[in-house]
Each structure stands twice: as structure tokens, then as C-alpha cells.
Amino acid sequence: QVQLVESGGGSVQAGGSLRLSCAASGYTYSSYCMGWFRQAPGKEREGVAVIDNDGRTTYADYVKGRFTISKDSAKNTLYLQMDSLKPEDTAMYYCAADYSGITPCRRIAKSYRYWGQGTQVTVS
């Protein structure tokens, strides 16, 4: 059974930075997709960035050049480095994982089977 726990959210001024972490446990698969999604009040959950087991990444256009997704496989940890934060980045951020083997990884929430409980990011 896979469990995901996010951390690192908080409140930051516009232009500031945060690094989100997602600790995964119970992972035994060689092929996977992991990603960060976010959801603001009244809006649909949207895919921010995803990464596969080979380290290939895709980003939403609105975070390219500002956010970086990465992983530390030895620690079973996923990261999202967020720089140059904007007020419109304010949302609950969720870590997700999928082991369906479908490639390339997609930034579609319904494709991911395992989810963390989320960490709030507020930019003012």
C-alpha cells in the first residue's frame, strides 16, 4: 500500500520561494508517475508538474521557469521547488502517484491513484 505525505507549505510574499516535499512509503514499483497538483477554491484540480521513473518531466505552462519538480529515489521523496511565487499560485498542493505503466505521464488528476492530504501554499 502506498502512502504519500506532503510538507513544506506555508505563507510567503510574492516573489518568494518554497520547497514542497512528498514522502512516499510502500513503493515497490520500477515504473511510475509522480506529480504535483493544486486546487484553489472554486476551481478544478490542475496538474502542476509530473515526473516519471526515468526523471522525465512535464510542466504546466504557468509554472515553467519558476517551478522545478525532482525526486530523490533513495529517500522515496518527491520535491517541488517553487521560486518567483505569485498570488495566483495560492492553492492546496497535492502529491500524487500512479503505477498504471501508461506513458508518458499525464497532468490529469484522474490518472493518479494515490494522493496525499495536501499542503497549503498562500502567496500574498
Side-chain angles (χ1 to χ4, degrees):
Q1 187 176 15
V2 176
Q3 292 185 323
L4 306 173
V5 180
E6 303 97 333
S7 62
S11 182
V12 66
Q13 293 283 306
S17 298
L18 287 171
R19 188 178 76 160
L20 306 183
S21 298
C22 172
S25 61
Y27 172 74
T28 59
Y29 298 94
S30 297
S31 298
Y32 60 82
C33 295
M34 296 191 72
W36 290 97
F37 293 76
R38 71 187 190 187
Q39 188 168 22
K43 298 192 68 177
E44 297 290 326
R45 189 169 297 186
E46 58 188 17
V48 176
V50 297
I51 188 168
D52 71 11
N53 53 282
D54 291 322
R56 291 172 292 195
T57 61
T58 59
Y59 296 89
D61 288 342
Y62 50 80
V63 304
K64 287 181 179 178
R66 299 190 298 122
F67 292 8
T68 304
I69 188 171
S70 62
K71 61 183 177 68
D72 186 335
S73 297
K75 296 181 179 179
N76 282 343
T77 302
L78 181 73
Y79 302 98
L80 184 67
Q81 178 66 44
M82 304 185 293
D83 299 319
S84 301
L85 283 161
K86 304 175 180 179
E88 51 263 45
D89 295 318
T90 296
M92 185 73 73
Y93 283 71
Y94 298 90
C95 174
D98 176 65
Y99 306 99
S100 69
I102 298 174
T103 56
C105 298
R106 298 181 294 176
R107 294 185 294 103
I108 302 174
K110 66 181 181 181
S111 297
Y112 292 79
R113 299 183 182 183
Y114 300 96
W115 293 85
Q117 296 190 47
T119 184
Q120 178 67 39
V121 172
T122 302
V123 185
S124 61

